[in-house]
Amino acid sequence: EKWAGTNATNISLKGARLYIPEGAMVSQKLVSIAALRYVDIPALDQGLINVTEGYYGYRFLPHGSQFTKAVQVSLDYDETKIPTGYTAKDIATFYFDDNAKHWVLLRRDSVDVANKKIISTTTHFTDMINGVLRVPESPETQALTPNSMSGIEMPDATSEIATIAPPSANN
């Protein structure tokens, strides 16, 4: 916890850092970062994979606070949680929208691959995670094409003909 007001303020908790620039808050408030457990995280949207390092996510308080300027949020990510075929450049920070009841993408400033951090900006406080939005692979989408000719074998014209041995000469 830290008091933040009209001056620039930094606050951090293992894996999360918040920078509030000068003039972003109109009055002084007590701000904090709380670590979230698995049970504290709202259900993830379909295809969203949580790759947050250390904790499952973070709650920035006071909840719902609005800023007059963008505030910088930095969250660590875990390389081992990144799905196959994706890289650190596919990771983004998401916040949970309480009204819409789903995770929304924050504007990403940069990816610090060396320190494994995603740096984004926000104008309000809420729950946040780092995530990868996995999209369906092309073979799955192609399988649903109704006019596709894949998987059909060529016909065999001799498949239904019964063959018999030719006659042989005898005495």
Side-chain angles (χ1 to χ4, degrees):
E1 292 184 324
K2 193 173 200 177
W3 282 98
T6 55
N7 296 333
T9 306
N10 271 307
I11 184 171
S12 62
L13 175 70
K14 180 188 172 191
R17 187 181 72 76
L18 181 67
Y19 171 70
I20 303 170
E22 185 176 333
M25 297 181 75
V26 291
S27 63
Q28 192 167 6
K29 289 184 181 179
L30 187 63
V31 296
S32 65
I33 303 172
L36 296 177
R37 302 168 299 163
Y38 179 76
V39 295
D40 299 326
I41 296 286
L44 299 179
D45 295 352
Q46 185 175 0
L48 182 59
I49 310 296
N50 188 344
V51 297
T52 309
E53 169 72 28
Y55 300 103
Y56 287 95
Y58 297 91
R59 180 165 293 152
F60 294 88
L61 298 169
H63 199 71
S65 291
Q66 296 287 323
F67 302 100
T68 57
K69 292 181 181 177
V71 170
Q72 190 179 71
V73 176
S74 171
L75 296 181
D76 292 356
Y77 64 86
D78 184 348
E79 283 183 315
T80 63
K81 294 180 181 177
I82 299 173
T84 305
Y86 293 86
T87 67
K89 297 200 186 307
D90 297 312
I91 301 171
T93 301
F94 291 81
Y95 74 90
F96 188 73
D97 186 330
D98 291 318
N99 296 329
K101 302 289 184 217
H102 73 90
W103 292 92
V104 180
L105 184 70
L106 274 181
R107 186 183 157 278
R108 183 174 67 190
D109 276 355
S110 61
V111 178
D112 182 351
V113 177
N115 295 309
K116 300 181 180 116
K117 296 180 184 300
I118 304 298
I119 300 151
S120 305
T121 56
T122 185
T123 55
H124 65 287
F125 278 168
T126 184
D127 295 352
M128 296 184 195
I129 63 168
N130 275 339
V132 173
L133 192 56
R134 188 173 12 196
V135 294
E137 296 175 14
S138 50
E140 291 171 310
T141 56
Q142 299 245 345
L144 298 175
T145 308
N147 56 359
S148 175
M149 295 295 289
S150 64
I152 299 174
E153 295 179 20
M154 290 295 291
D156 181 7
T158 61
S159 65
E160 298 295 321
I161 298 175
T163 56
I164 58 173
S168 58
N170 61 12
N171 294 351

mmCIF file of all heavy atoms in Angstrom, residues 17 27 38 63 67 69 76 79-80 83 100 104 108 115 121 128 152 159 168 171:
data_model
loop_
_atom_site.group_PDB
_atom_site.id
_atom_site.type_symbol
_atom_site.label_atom_id
_atom_site.label_comp_id
_atom_site.label_asym_id
_atom_site.label_seq_id
_atom_site.Cartn_x
_atom_site.Cartn_y
_atom_site.Cartn_z
ATOM 1 N N ARG A 17 4.141 -4.178 -11.268
ATOM 2 C CA ARG A 17 4.606 -2.829 -10.956
ATOM 3 C C ARG A 17 3.619 -1.832 -11.546
ATOM 4 O O ARG A 17 3.081 -2.051 -12.632
ATOM 5 C CB ARG A 17 5.994 -2.574 -11.532
ATOM 6 C CG ARG A 17 6.596 -1.243 -11.080
ATOM 7 C CD ARG A 17 7.964 -0.986 -11.683
ATOM 8 N NE ARG A 17 7.891 -0.670 -13.109
ATOM 9 C CZ ARG A 17 7.505 0.509 -13.610
ATOM 10 N NH1 ARG A 17 7.123 1.470 -12.821
ATOM 11 N NH2 ARG A 17 7.493 0.712 -14.912
ATOM 12 N N SER A 27 -6.961 13.581 -6.536
ATOM 13 C CA SER A 27 -6.840 13.702 -5.085
ATOM 14 C C SER A 27 -5.996 12.543 -4.556
ATOM 15 O O SER A 27 -5.791 11.544 -5.243
ATOM 16 C CB SER A 27 -8.223 13.685 -4.426
ATOM 17 O OG SER A 27 -8.856 12.447 -4.662
ATOM 18 N N TYR A 38 -5.954 -18.704 -7.623
ATOM 19 C CA TYR A 38 -6.736 -19.293 -8.710
ATOM 20 C C TYR A 38 -8.238 -19.088 -8.487
ATOM 21 O O TYR A 38 -8.966 -18.741 -9.409
ATOM 22 C CB TYR A 38 -6.408 -20.778 -8.856
ATOM 23 C CG TYR A 38 -7.192 -21.469 -9.931
ATOM 24 C CD1 TYR A 38 -6.867 -21.274 -11.268
ATOM 25 C CD2 TYR A 38 -8.272 -22.279 -9.624
ATOM 26 C CE1 TYR A 38 -7.588 -21.883 -12.281
ATOM 27 C CE2 TYR A 38 -9.001 -22.894 -10.625
ATOM 28 C CZ TYR A 38 -8.655 -22.701 -11.939
ATOM 29 O OH TYR A 38 -9.382 -23.293 -12.931
ATOM 30 N N HIS A 63 -10.476 -0.339 -6.204
ATOM 31 C CA HIS A 63 -11.159 -0.895 -7.362
ATOM 32 C C HIS A 63 -12.017 0.170 -8.046
ATOM 33 O O HIS A 63 -12.741 0.895 -7.386
ATOM 34 C CB HIS A 63 -12.022 -2.076 -6.917
ATOM 35 C CG HIS A 63 -12.409 -3.006 -8.010
ATOM 36 N ND1 HIS A 63 -11.511 -3.844 -8.617
ATOM 37 C CD2 HIS A 63 -13.602 -3.234 -8.603
ATOM 38 C CE1 HIS A 63 -12.130 -4.556 -9.535
ATOM 39 N NE2 HIS A 63 -13.401 -4.205 -9.547
ATOM 40 N N PHE A 67 -8.353 7.527 -13.744
ATOM 41 C CA PHE A 67 -7.224 8.446 -13.801
ATOM 42 C C PHE A 67 -7.426 9.445 -14.926
ATOM 43 O O PHE A 67 -8.062 9.150 -15.929
ATOM 44 C CB PHE A 67 -5.917 7.676 -14.018
ATOM 45 C CG PHE A 67 -5.657 6.663 -12.946
ATOM 46 C CD1 PHE A 67 -5.933 5.322 -13.165
ATOM 47 C CD2 PHE A 67 -5.174 7.039 -11.716
ATOM 48 C CE1 PHE A 67 -5.717 4.383 -12.174
ATOM 49 C CE2 PHE A 67 -4.947 6.114 -10.712
ATOM 50 C CZ PHE A 67 -5.222 4.783 -10.942
ATOM 51 N N LYS A 69 -4.827 10.651 -16.574
ATOM 52 C CA LYS A 69 -3.781 10.275 -17.527
ATOM 53 C C LYS A 69 -3.609 8.764 -17.473
ATOM 54 O O LYS A 69 -3.942 8.132 -16.472
ATOM 55 C CB LYS A 69 -2.434 10.901 -17.145
ATOM 56 C CG LYS A 69 -2.345 12.376 -17.266
ATOM 57 C CD LYS A 69 -0.924 12.783 -16.864
ATOM 58 C CE LYS A 69 -0.731 14.279 -16.919
ATOM 59 N NZ LYS A 69 0.609 14.650 -16.455
ATOM 60 N N ASP A 76 4.740 -9.541 -14.923
ATOM 61 C CA ASP A 76 5.648 -10.600 -15.373
ATOM 62 C C ASP A 76 4.851 -11.728 -16.017
ATOM 63 O O ASP A 76 3.689 -11.973 -15.650
ATOM 64 C CB ASP A 76 6.437 -11.170 -14.195
ATOM 65 C CG ASP A 76 7.434 -10.178 -13.613
ATOM 66 O OD1 ASP A 76 7.570 -9.073 -14.177
ATOM 67 O OD2 ASP A 76 8.064 -10.511 -12.594
ATOM 68 N N GLU A 79 7.260 -18.053 -19.168
ATOM 69 C CA GLU A 79 7.506 -18.649 -20.489
ATOM 70 C C GLU A 79 6.949 -20.062 -20.609
ATOM 71 O O GLU A 79 6.496 -20.458 -21.674
ATOM 72 C CB GLU A 79 9.014 -18.717 -20.765
ATOM 73 C CG GLU A 79 9.645 -17.436 -21.158
ATOM 74 C CD GLU A 79 11.130 -17.636 -21.473
ATOM 75 O OE1 GLU A 79 11.816 -18.321 -20.696
ATOM 76 O OE2 GLU A 79 11.555 -17.106 -22.502
ATOM 77 N N THR A 80 6.980 -20.814 -19.526
ATOM 78 C CA THR A 80 6.545 -22.218 -19.577
ATOM 79 C C THR A 80 5.033 -22.357 -19.769
ATOM 80 O O THR A 80 4.556 -23.418 -20.141
ATOM 81 C CB THR A 80 6.968 -22.980 -18.306
ATOM 82 O OG1 THR A 80 6.317 -22.394 -17.169
ATOM 83 C CG2 THR A 80 8.480 -22.935 -18.111
ATOM 84 N N PRO A 83 1.443 -21.260 -24.751
ATOM 85 C CA PRO A 83 1.068 -22.423 -25.563
ATOM 86 C C PRO A 83 2.027 -22.636 -26.736
ATOM 87 O O PRO A 83 2.642 -21.693 -27.235
ATOM 88 C CB PRO A 83 -0.334 -22.096 -26.076
ATOM 89 C CG PRO A 83 -0.783 -20.887 -25.343
ATOM 90 C CD PRO A 83 0.409 -20.229 -24.763
ATOM 91 N N ALA A 100 -19.341 -6.014 -18.302
ATOM 92 C CA ALA A 100 -19.518 -6.954 -19.423
ATOM 93 C C ALA A 100 -19.260 -8.401 -18.999
ATOM 94 O O ALA A 100 -19.586 -9.325 -19.733
ATOM 95 C CB ALA A 100 -18.594 -6.577 -20.569
ATOM 96 N N VAL A 104 -10.876 -8.053 -21.071
ATOM 97 C CA VAL A 104 -10.686 -7.080 -22.144
ATOM 98 C C VAL A 104 -9.189 -6.770 -22.268
ATOM 99 O O VAL A 104 -8.490 -6.627 -21.263
ATOM 100 C CB VAL A 104 -11.478 -5.782 -21.859
ATOM 101 C CG1 VAL A 104 -11.278 -4.761 -22.963
ATOM 102 C CG2 VAL A 104 -12.955 -6.092 -21.675
ATOM 103 N N ARG A 108 -1.118 -2.396 -25.113
ATOM 104 C CA ARG A 108 0.241 -2.820 -24.776
ATOM 105 C C ARG A 108 1.239 -1.783 -25.273
ATOM 106 O O ARG A 108 1.206 -1.380 -26.429
ATOM 107 C CB ARG A 108 0.539 -4.184 -25.397
ATOM 108 C CG ARG A 108 1.904 -4.725 -25.020
ATOM 109 C CD ARG A 108 2.135 -6.107 -25.516
ATOM 110 N NE ARG A 108 2.190 -6.095 -26.977
ATOM 111 C CZ ARG A 108 2.197 -7.178 -27.717
ATOM 112 N NH1 ARG A 108 2.131 -8.358 -27.166
ATOM 113 N NH2 ARG A 108 2.252 -7.091 -29.018
ATOM 114 N N ASN A 115 13.496 -9.386 -19.381
ATOM 115 C CA ASN A 115 13.012 -9.453 -17.998
ATOM 116 C C ASN A 115 11.654 -10.139 -17.875
ATOM 117 O O ASN A 115 11.080 -10.185 -16.792
ATOM 118 C CB ASN A 115 12.938 -8.047 -17.407
ATOM 119 C CG ASN A 115 14.302 -7.418 -17.298
ATOM 120 O OD1 ASN A 115 15.220 -8.010 -16.755
ATOM 121 N ND2 ASN A 115 14.455 -6.222 -17.843
ATOM 122 N N THR A 121 -0.778 0.172 -20.615
ATOM 123 C CA THR A 121 -1.334 1.366 -19.968
ATOM 124 C C THR A 121 -2.808 1.156 -19.682
ATOM 125 O O THR A 121 -3.510 0.436 -20.397
ATOM 126 C CB THR A 121 -1.154 2.620 -20.844
ATOM 127 O OG1 THR A 121 -1.734 2.387 -22.120
ATOM 128 C CG2 THR A 121 0.302 2.992 -20.995
ATOM 129 N N MET A 128 -6.195 -7.829 -13.120
ATOM 130 C CA MET A 128 -5.433 -7.937 -14.365
ATOM 131 C C MET A 128 -4.603 -9.216 -14.401
ATOM 132 O O MET A 128 -4.155 -9.693 -13.359
ATOM 133 C CB MET A 128 -4.512 -6.732 -14.540
ATOM 134 C CG MET A 128 -5.258 -5.435 -14.693
ATOM 135 S SD MET A 128 -4.166 -4.064 -15.014
ATOM 136 C CE MET A 128 -5.264 -2.700 -14.696
ATOM 137 N N ILE A 152 -12.539 -37.832 -49.521
ATOM 138 C CA ILE A 152 -13.335 -38.712 -50.392
ATOM 139 C C ILE A 152 -12.365 -39.477 -51.297
ATOM 140 O O ILE A 152 -11.530 -38.890 -51.967
ATOM 141 C CB ILE A 152 -14.329 -37.897 -51.253
ATOM 142 C CG1 ILE A 152 -15.308 -37.146 -50.344
ATOM 143 C CG2 ILE A 152 -15.064 -38.808 -52.232
ATOM 144 C CD1 ILE A 152 -16.232 -36.215 -51.090
ATOM 145 N N SER A 159 -14.426 -52.760 -58.174
ATOM 146 C CA SER A 159 -14.647 -53.188 -56.797
ATOM 147 C C SER A 159 -15.870 -54.092 -56.630
ATOM 148 O O SER A 159 -15.889 -54.931 -55.743
ATOM 149 C CB SER A 159 -14.771 -51.972 -55.882
ATOM 150 O OG SER A 159 -15.935 -51.233 -56.216
ATOM 151 N N SER A 168 -9.795 -74.202 -67.711
ATOM 152 C CA SER A 168 -8.541 -74.854 -68.078
ATOM 153 C C SER A 168 -8.859 -76.110 -68.892
ATOM 154 O O SER A 168 -9.906 -76.743 -68.718
ATOM 155 C CB SER A 168 -7.723 -75.209 -66.826
ATOM 156 O OG SER A 168 -8.473 -76.053 -65.990
ATOM 157 N N ASN A 171 -8.403 -83.658 -70.233
ATOM 158 C CA ASN A 171 -8.322 -84.770 -71.172
ATOM 159 C C ASN A 171 -9.654 -84.981 -71.776
ATOM 160 O O ASN A 171 -10.180 -85.651 -72.430
ATOM 161 C CB ASN A 171 -7.814 -86.037 -70.501
ATOM 162 C CG ASN A 171 -6.380 -85.882 -70.059
ATOM 163 O OD1 ASN A 171 -5.747 -84.921 -70.391
ATOM 164 N ND2 ASN A 171 -5.929 -86.855 -69.313
#
